[in-house]
Amino acid sequence: MADKEKLQGFGKRLVEANEKAYGAEIRQKYGDNVIDASNKKIEALTEEQYNDINALSEAINALLKEAVSIGDASCEAAQKACALHKQWLCHHWPDGLYTSQMHRNMADMYLADERFKAYYEA
């Protein structure tokens, strides 16, 4: 199997797992059109995009650890984490969906949802 086929299969598995775990919830919250467009984007990831997402995730988590150790949400590490998180979101969200307000809403959701809090606190 070619690397491209493996990656496409991986994207499809990611979408299927996300749909199984959160599909009803996210479709109710964001609508079928947004979720379908996001799923299509994830299924079409190139190897370079997939690697970029993973590198962004690692960098974001490292910067968040640094920001927490500093204890200032406005520190340089926190600001860099936010900028990288925007890039990460844009890999997943349909083109044109991102706005700074949507990003703030996402951060508020992370703080309000125990699943996200547990992930980021770990």
Side-chain angles (χ1 to χ4, degrees), residues 55-67 81 84 119-120:
L56 284 168
S57 294
E58 290 177 17
I60 291 165
N61 287 335
L63 287 164
L64 289 174
K65 280 184 180 182
E66 182 180 340
L84 294 180
Y119 172 79
Y120 283 106

Side-chain angles (χ1 to χ4, degrees), residues 13-41:
R13 287 190 301 278
L14 282 175
V15 166
E16 288 171 357
N18 193 59
E19 282 285 349
K20 184 176 180 182
Y22 309 107
E25 177 183 355
I26 60 177
R27 286 179 178 283
Q28 179 183 12
K29 193 171 208 169
Y30 304 109
D32 288 335
N33 290 341
V34 168
I35 301 306
D36 289 344
S38 179
N39 287 349
K40 185 176 179 182
K41 191 169 184 175

Side-chain angles (χ1 to χ4, degrees), residues 30 85 88-89 93 100-112 116:
Y30 304 109
H85 191 247
W88 185 90
L89 288 171
W93 288 0
S100 57
Q101 184 60 50
M102 289 283 287
H103 201 165
R104 282 190 290 278
N105 293 346
M106 178 68 65
D108 289 341
M109 183 188 72
Y110 284 0
L111 292 170
F116 287 105

